[in-house]
Amino acid sequence: MASEIQNGKKEFSFTWRIENISYSWHKTGDKIISPAFVVGSMERTCWTLRLHPRGRKNEDYMSFYLYREKEDKGPEKISLNYELSFLTPDGSPVDKDAPKIKGSFAKNMSYGHPRSVNRDEIFVHKKHLYLHEDCITVYCRMWKGEGTICDSQQAFARTRIGVQHVSMVEAFQPKDKILPLVPIFRAQKELTVNISHGNEMLSVDVASMEKGIKYTTCKLSVLNSTGNVVCENHSSWFDEDVKELWRYPIPPQKYDPNSDTLCLLCEFSFSSGIDYEKIEEIKYGIHLLRPILNNMSKSNFSSGPNIVDDLKSLYDKGILTDAKIKTTTKIFPVHRVMLYARSSKFRMIFKNYTKEKNVLIEMLDLEEDTVKRLLLFLYTDTVEDLQWEIAAKLYYAASKYQFLKLKGLCSSFLINKLNATNASQLLLMADTHKDSNLKRVAEDFILKYDEQIFGSEEWDTFTDAQPQLAAKTMGLKYKMNKDSKKIDRPPLTKITYGSIVDDLKFLYTSQTLNDVEIKTKKTTFPAHITVLSARSPVFRELFQTSMKESVEMEDVEDDIVRRLLLFLYTDVMESLQWKIAKSLYCVAVEYKVERLKIKCSSFFMENMNSTNTTEILVLADQQQDLDLKENVEKFILRNEREMYGSKEWVEFAEKNPDLAVHSMLMKYRKNT
């Protein structure tokens, strides 16, 4: 028996996921190389996979090769079997009849096919089979020997092509004569774009400003007031040294030149190369089973509601609110902890209202619509349908009440909408709120377009209302460096803004404004009713029935409660071990934390093998989790030879005969 195992089949598989593949900058002959992997069971030989996105010799095809590295500790030649394939999002081969090839590899030698698959198949005709969220997955299996598998290893690697997307929308009137628009991406160091309009013609000047851009795509669309496309242009280019100038007509028959407002939509995406590559996981074992890349069946599983979904639902339904915001026209019920977590000003306010219920906060200087949008951001981190006046009012509110991220978002929007007409308004806004960064941007823009702005009616009106600010700004022109035509002054202050998750994590770790405690046998964990109620229907019902100041969880270990609370506040799950995952899963099921339950289920599926599959099958059956149970049974069915022949399955079947029979019948139910 020992001899049979020693002389058995040795197998290795390498799964390589490449993200943002459509933004690959590689020309014909260029390649993306996977992280190198050493296969100990094959005499310590070293290998890489090599993918040519635009073919090794023909740009219409993608080429895929297995390459033995020039330097490794193996013999000069090694013979083995291998197969190369592209995988679908669910982990199965696109070509189920991929050839199994026997080859003899010397060092610095590769095998593969220069025409592995046509690019149109990948990106157009069969995109749903090859790509998932612009990721392509390739798979290599290598083996030596025959018979029973005596040594098996799996490695999983990921490479990410770094991509940045930048977009901008600008409105203009067809009747305008030579309308210079703001450089779209002046805040971006990668590209500078200038656009002008006149005489029914749009001129676009694009230039790269930083070394390192590998590939850029651009889409420009002009839309009329009904949303129909008047004209459109697509372009892409390689390398960093780019200077593009496009001119194309705006057909007057597609819009009303007297009344229509046209909208220019600019969408740029650019890559500066590979920003991540790593072998992320290696699995060992005789009975390792085939990888399931998309482990949870999409027909049965979603990712579950995230923290933003849960908080917005709680707000929309007005559940367990404990404060009110009053405008001149409406009162908005809210949750104190959300105001506290997201605003440094409200942290000061609520220091004096730690026990009071239904605190009233007057915002009489804000319009109802502004407060509505403010609260939407408070609970979701999003702002909708921004226009200049709306953004200006939100900026005022965010600045006054110190919602720093909202202030930053509004600033960015206003900067992107900056033009000669509203420049003085932005300058005044920045000066009023002592926003030095925003003021600098407004000043630089005014000085750049000084002749157009200083001679405008808007500047005359501004000068009458704000003579000191106007004089000071105009005086900056005489401090400009003659060579650079810029004012020599310190760089802009770098400001970072926390997301809603960052703010809630601060709320949790600071242990302030707590209104409930979670008690185990050994420890008391401070918490917040709002967060617990948003994430768990069980907690929500408990607090709606009676406002308890503590919740007993004496049968749960301290570490599991700590992990549970961290997830409730942040959607973050710390690294897991099998035993911890099982305990956390049971708590998630008990308190109906759907997203945590799914994440634990995913962990089970990703780490499943012949020794622990039955354990999860029993757990899913006990918890009446039909989705997990179905996915485990599918896993067993896909690997029936390895499963039904293992000693673990025999022991499981003796203890759980009904469950074992039910699972084994899956094969026949599937075929009927």
Side-chain angles (χ1 to χ4, degrees):
M1 181 66 180
S3 176
E4 180 182 342
I5 292 177
Q6 185 177 359
N7 297 321
K9 185 176 181 181
K10 298 177 181 179
E11 185 175 283
F12 177 89
S13 69
F14 189 80
T15 303
W16 182 28
R17 175 183 171 93
I18 305 170
E19 300 177 356
N20 299 322
I21 186 64
S22 66
Y23 295 95
S24 64
W25 65 91
H26 305 78
K27 301 175 183 178
T28 301
D30 294 342
K31 55 188 172 289
I32 305 176
I33 302 175
S34 75
F37 51 94
V38 175
V39 186
S41 62
M42 297 180 193
E43 303 185 62
R44 302 186 71 184
T45 49
C46 184
W47 308 80
T48 55
L49 298 184
R50 303 195 167 194
L51 190 74
H52 298 256
R54 289 179 177 81
R56 189 171 182 179
K57 297 180 180 179
N58 189 324
E59 65 178 6
D60 294 331
Y61 290 84
M62 195 173 282
S63 308
F64 182 22
Y65 293 86
L66 171 63
Y67 172 77
R68 185 181 174 191
E69 291 293 305
K70 186 176 182 179
E71 301 291 338
D72 66 25
K73 297 183 179 180
E76 289 301 315
K77 281 192 175 182
I78 183 170
S79 295
L80 50 81
N81 301 286
Y82 72 93
E83 64 174 325
L84 302 174
S85 57
F86 291 83
L87 300 185
T88 65
D90 69 357
S92 58
V94 175
D95 180 5
K96 299 187 183 299
D97 298 317
K100 298 174 176 60
I101 304 170
K102 186 169 184 177
S104 179
F105 286 83
K107 294 181 179 181
N108 194 28
M109 183 177 180
S110 65
Y111 280 112
H113 201 289
R115 297 188 176 189
S116 297
V117 62
N118 191 290
R119 282 177 57 87
D120 284 346
E121 293 284 290
I122 294 175
F123 294 104
V124 182
H125 305 306
K126 296 182 180 179
K127 184 177 179 179
H128 65 289
L129 292 178
Y130 287 93
L131 301 180
H132 174 63
E133 297 180 350
D134 204 23
C135 299
I136 192 166
T137 303
V138 296
Y139 177 71
C140 171
R141 185 167 72 97
M142 309 157 63
W143 69 96
K144 290 186 67 176
E146 303 293 338
T148 304
I149 297 176
C150 68
D151 193 335
S152 182
Q153 183 178 350
Q154 295 173 327
F156 301 85
R158 181 161 62 97
T159 295
R160 183 176 62 237
I161 296 173
V163 179
Q164 184 172 358
H165 304 281
V166 186
S167 61
M168 174 265 194
V169 178
E170 184 73 44
F172 64 96
Q173 300 293 329
K175 60 184 179 181
D176 291 338
K177 301 295 183 181
I178 310 298
L179 174 66
L181 301 181
V182 181
I184 297 175
F185 307 134
R186 62 182 170 280
Q188 302 292 333
K189 57 186 178 180
E190 289 84 358
L191 291 174
T192 179
V193 182
N194 288 277
I195 303 174
S196 62
H197 163 250
N199 300 324
E200 298 177 357
M201 185 70 68
L202 204 63
S203 298
V204 183
D205 185 7
V206 184
S208 172
M209 297 200 51
E210 181 180 276
K211 302 295 183 183
I213 292 181
K214 303 284 189 180
Y215 183 66
T216 305
T217 65
C218 170
K219 178 182 177 182
L220 300 179
S221 308
V222 176
L223 311 177
N224 61 21
S225 56
T226 62
N228 294 321
V229 176
V230 175
C231 57
E232 195 169 68
N233 181 72
H234 297 258
S235 185
S236 62
W237 57 87
F238 295 91
D239 301 326
E240 57 201 22
D241 297 324
V242 60
K243 181 74 174 177
E244 296 274 331
L245 180 61
W246 307 316
R247 289 188 177 90
Y248 53 102
I250 305 176
Q253 63 270 23
K254 291 190 176 183
Y255 63 90
D256 183 347
N258 296 316
S259 61
D260 237 347
T261 296
L262 297 182
C263 181
L264 174 65
L265 173 61
C266 309
E267 300 170 278
F268 280 81
S269 300
F270 46 90
S271 171
S272 55
I274 303 294
D275 71 358
Y276 180 88
E277 52 183 346
K278 185 179 181 181
I279 294 179
E280 297 186 317
E281 185 177 13
I282 299 175
K283 296 182 179 181
Y284 301 90
I286 292 177
H287 296 294
L288 284 171
L289 309 179
R290 288 189 292 274
I292 299 179
L293 299 182
N294 190 11
N295 298 306
M296 310 310 276
S297 169
K298 288 188 176 180
S299 61
N300 295 332
F301 282 92
S302 66
S303 60
N306 61 29
I307 190 167
V308 169
D309 298 329
D310 289 337
L311 288 170
K312 188 173 186 301
S313 176
L314 196 74
Y315 169 65
D316 288 342
K317 296 174 182 177
I319 296 174
L320 294 167
T321 58
D322 55 2
K324 295 177 181 179
I325 292 178
K326 181 181 179 181
T327 68
T328 56
T329 56
K330 187 173 180 177
I331 293 178
F332 296 86
V334 294
H335 301 88
R336 279 192 300 168
V337 295
M338 294 304 299
L339 295 170
Y340 183 93
R342 312 230 56 196
S343 160
S344 55
K345 183 164 186 175
F346 278 109
R347 288 172 200 161
M348 298 298 296
I349 291 174
F350 287 132
K351 278 186 176 181
N352 301 319
Y353 296 95
T354 55
K355 297 296 184 180
E356 290 82 350
K357 302 295 182 182
N358 292 318
V359 176
L360 182 66
I361 302 152
E362 292 188 341
M363 294 186 177
L364 303 180
D365 55 336
L366 301 184
E367 295 177 1
E368 179 181 327
D369 181 69
T370 303
V371 173
K372 182 180 178 181
R373 291 172 182 272
L374 176 68
L375 292 176
L376 175 67
F377 171 82
L378 184 77
Y379 285 86
T380 68
D381 248 6
T382 60
V383 288
E384 295 179 348
D385 304 324
L386 278 185
Q387 298 173 13
W388 179 273
E389 292 302 325
I390 293 172
K393 292 174 182 177
L394 269 177
Y395 174 87
Y396 167 83
S399 180
K400 178 176 180 179
Y401 292 100
Q402 297 178 24
F403 292 99
L404 297 184
K405 184 177 180 181
L406 178 59
K407 181 182 176 182
L409 291 174
C410 292
S411 295
S412 297
F413 176 86
L414 293 169
I415 290 170
N416 279 328
K417 291 294 183 181
L418 188 56
N419 58 41
T421 302
N422 57 36
S424 57
Q425 184 182 350
L426 188 66
L427 176 65
L428 178 59
M429 193 184 309
D431 185 70
T432 302
H433 293 279
K434 297 180 174 57
D435 189 334
S436 58
N437 282 3
L438 186 61
K439 186 175 182 180
R440 174 86 67 84
V441 171
E443 289 172 344
D444 289 346
F445 179 82
I446 290 169
L447 294 176
K448 184 173 183 179
Y449 298 98
D450 56 341
E451 292 185 8
Q452 183 183 355
I453 292 174
F454 292 157
S456 67
E457 293 181 5
E458 288 81 10
W459 188 259
D460 288 342
T461 303
F462 172 70
T463 302
D464 291 340
Q466 301 290 332
Q468 290 184 343
L469 183 57
K472 186 176 180 180
T473 304
M474 296 176 77
L476 291 173
K477 184 175 178 64
Y478 302 98
K479 296 182 181 180
M480 294 177 67
N481 185 297
K482 293 181 179 180
D483 296 325
S484 65
K485 295 185 179 180
K486 293 182 179 180
I487 302 172
D488 295 325
R489 47 186 174 180
L492 294 174
T493 304
K494 186 175 181 180
I495 302 174
T496 57
Y497 309 110
S499 67
I500 188 170
V501 170
D502 296 324
D503 291 341
L504 288 172
K505 185 175 183 180
F506 164 79
L507 180 71
Y508 171 59
T509 56
S510 65
Q511 296 187 2
T512 50
L513 214 68
N514 309 107
D515 49 11
V516 69
E517 295 177 337
I518 305 294
K519 293 185 176 181
T520 65
K521 288 182 178 179
K522 300 178 180 178
T523 310
T524 297
F525 295 86
H528 302 87
I529 289 174
T530 296
V531 178
L532 300 184
S533 301
R535 307 306 313 272
S536 162
V538 174
F539 280 129
R540 187 184 314 143
E541 183 178 352
L542 176 66
F543 295 128
Q544 283 181 307
T545 304
S546 61
M547 292 299 290
K548 293 190 174 184
E549 294 185 354
S550 65
V551 177
E552 304 291 335
M553 295 180 68
E554 294 186 351
D555 56 337
V556 183
E557 295 180 2
D558 285 3
D559 182 58
I560 302 303
V561 173
R562 183 188 61 78
R563 289 172 179 267
L564 170 66
L565 290 174
L566 178 65
F567 184 85
L568 295 182
Y569 280 81
T570 66
D571 264 350
V572 172
M573 187 165 67
E574 294 178 337
S575 58
L576 290 178
Q577 298 175 352
W578 191 261
K579 182 180 178 182
I580 292 173
K582 286 177 60 181
S583 299
L584 204 54
Y585 169 83
C586 291
V587 171
V589 172
E590 181 179 355
Y591 288 92
K592 297 183 180 179
V593 185
E594 187 67 15
R595 189 175 180 87
L596 179 58
K597 184 186 82 170
I598 292 172
K599 284 186 175 291
C600 292
S601 298
S602 298
F603 174 84
F604 297 145
M605 298 299 294
E606 290 166 4
N607 293 276
M608 195 170 291
N609 57 51
S610 63
T611 64
N612 58 30
T613 304
T614 55
E615 186 180 352
I616 297 306
L617 183 59
V618 171
L619 182 64
D621 187 63
Q622 290 173 343
Q623 298 294 339
Q624 299 181 0
D625 188 342
L626 299 180
D627 291 339
L628 178 59
K629 184 178 178 182
E630 179 182 349
N631 278 278
V632 174
E633 288 176 334
K634 286 180 179 178
F635 185 92
I636 293 171
L637 183 60
R638 289 182 62 179
N639 302 276
E640 56 182 326
R641 287 190 177 183
E642 295 95 332
M643 286 301 309
Y644 297 150
S646 67
K647 67 176 183 179
E648 288 80 10
W649 183 265
V650 174
E651 293 174 357
F652 159 74
E654 289 177 355
K655 297 179 181 178
N656 305 275
D658 292 342
L659 187 55
V661 171
H662 180 275
S663 298
M664 296 178 78
L665 284 174
M666 277 282 292
K667 177 177 181 179
Y668 303 98
R669 288 196 295 272
K670 182 178 180 181
N671 294 331
T672 57

